[in-house]
Amino acid sequence: NTMEKNVFMQKVVPGFIKRKIMKKVLLGDSAKASLTTFNEARKHFGLSPIYNIVDLVRGDLTLLPDLPVLSGLKEEDLTEGYAYSAPIFSKMDMPVPNEVKEVFSRPGLNIFCSLGSSGFPETLKLIIKALKKMEGVNIVCATTSILEPEELGKHTERFYACKFLPAHLVNEMADIAVLHGGQGTIQTSAWAGTPVVGIGFQAEQQANIDGLVRAKAAIRIPIYSVSEKRILKAVKKVSGKEYRENALVLQKKVRATDGVKKSVDLMNDFLLKRMNS
């Protein structure tokens, strides 16, 4: 996020230096300092200390709830002890509100928008303000904890906002989605076959969106250049036939997997090998 917003980092610093900076953050002294609390807990349980973020999230078996086509990393290139489990995301057991059905039943382009719980309220307001300027669009927004739905305006025949929605079902009803790039959010859109305009607020979210960009099923707008003009341009482009077709290709790959079952199978295999060794 800092690199995205800093003009010097944007325009002057080469990409390979940015990657070195990120590596330093993850593996260097700054990471070590941020792990103090974790190491206090590890000491309490008789565990040796850890000194970088990678060690913090690494287990004897580390499952990556993703697909190579989304992460950009081939399965054969994974470090030993790591394995893809395939996508795992929430399918909230709640009905789609009638207001959503009514808005999305109108003629025009259906747009679903959510910035999760980590997006900026100002950015969400800007997105909705921009989308409302488009002709013939129907907008549904899940605000989560960012702000109150009423702050985005009153419910109309073409606009509805509420706090929470079953994203997998609403994504299926939408023609495109404007999202913040959380892993579950991106996987939900891929499962639904919905092209994305993504605005990442942190490095992980940017990387998740870039997975869809590589598959030509999304456009990512850097957080430092979010504007009404940029949003409208991206929405118009991603609503084209090519992006929709590419999103449907991804949909088949995601739906051909069962992340929960594969995770259980991988853990069972790991435990059996441990018990027999």
Side-chain angles (χ1 to χ4, degrees):
N1 197 353
T2 300
M3 286 196 288
E4 286 266 298
K5 284 189 170 183
N6 186 285
V7 177
F8 178 77
M9 297 295 284
Q10 295 168 27
K11 307 293 185 182
V12 180
V13 179
F16 76 93
I17 293 180
K18 293 179 185 179
R19 289 190 287 274
K20 284 187 177 182
I21 293 173
M22 286 302 298
K23 186 175 181 180
K24 184 71 174 177
V25 170
L26 291 172
L27 302 178
D29 291 339
S30 59
K32 182 178 178 180
S34 68
L35 295 171
T36 302
T37 302
F38 291 102
N39 282 332
E40 288 177 357
R42 290 178 67 86
K43 183 178 180 180
H44 175 78
F45 290 103
L47 299 172
S48 57
I50 54 178
Y51 298 106
N52 57 64
I53 302 297
V54 175
D55 284 342
L56 175 63
V57 297
R58 179 170 57 199
D60 295 322
L61 170 67
T62 304
L63 301 181
L64 306 176
D66 217 328
L67 289 174
V69 68
L70 294 174
S71 74
L73 181 64
K74 296 179 181 178
E75 191 157 16
E76 56 266 29
D77 291 337
L78 292 179
T79 303
E80 184 178 357
Y82 289 80
Y84 282 117
S85 68
I88 301 174
F89 54 90
S90 174
K91 294 181 179 179
M92 296 176 68
D93 185 19
M94 60 185 295
V96 176
N98 288 330
E99 292 89 343
V100 173
K101 297 177 182 177
E102 291 170 0
V103 169
F104 276 173
S105 68
R106 295 188 59 79
L109 185 72
N110 291 340
I111 303 176
F112 171 57
C113 178
S114 178
L115 300 186
S117 59
S118 60
F120 303 151
E122 298 78 13
T123 305
L124 183 56
K125 290 178 181 178
L126 177 65
I127 292 169
I128 297 303
K129 181 181 178 182
L131 295 178
K132 284 183 176 181
K133 291 183 177 180
M134 295 184 69
E135 292 289 335
V137 299
N138 309 308
I139 309 159
V140 167
C141 178
T143 65
T144 69
S145 58
I146 292 179
L147 46 71
E148 293 300 319
E150 296 76 18
E151 295 180 60
L152 297 177
K154 294 181 179 180
H155 167 45
T156 69
E157 60 183 11
R158 288 192 178 272
F159 172 76
Y160 176 69
C162 63
K163 278 190 171 292
F164 299 103
L165 290 168
H168 64 299
L169 299 179
V170 178
N171 257 291
E172 277 193 302
M173 299 168 67
D175 296 308
I176 69 169
V178 181
L179 307 171
H180 73 302
Q183 188 179 58
T185 304
I186 291 300
Q187 291 178 355
T188 302
S189 67
W191 177 87
T194 309
V196 168
V197 172
I199 302 168
F201 293 84
Q202 50 187 268
E204 176 260 339
Q205 295 169 355
Q206 295 160 17
N208 292 333
I209 299 166
D210 286 343
L212 293 187
V213 172
R214 284 191 297 271
K216 296 182 179 179
I219 293 174
R220 180 167 77 86
I221 303 176
I223 187 62
Y224 64 80
S225 65
V226 176
S227 65
E228 287 190 26
K229 182 178 179 180
R230 192 81 182 263
I231 292 166
L232 295 176
K233 182 179 179 180
V235 166
K236 290 175 182 177
K237 187 173 182 179
V238 87
S239 62
K241 181 180 178 182
E242 179 187 4
Y243 284 87
R244 179 63 177 175
E245 289 177 346
N246 292 333
L248 291 175
V249 170
L250 274 182
Q251 180 188 49
K252 290 180 181 179
K253 293 179 180 179
V254 172
R255 293 200 180 198
T257 66
D258 186 337
V260 175
K261 182 180 184 303
K262 189 173 181 182
S263 295
V264 173
D265 290 342
L266 287 167
M267 288 187 285
N268 284 338
D269 290 344
F270 173 79
L271 290 173
L272 285 173
K273 288 178 182 177
R274 276 293 178 92
M275 292 170 62
N276 294 329
S277 64

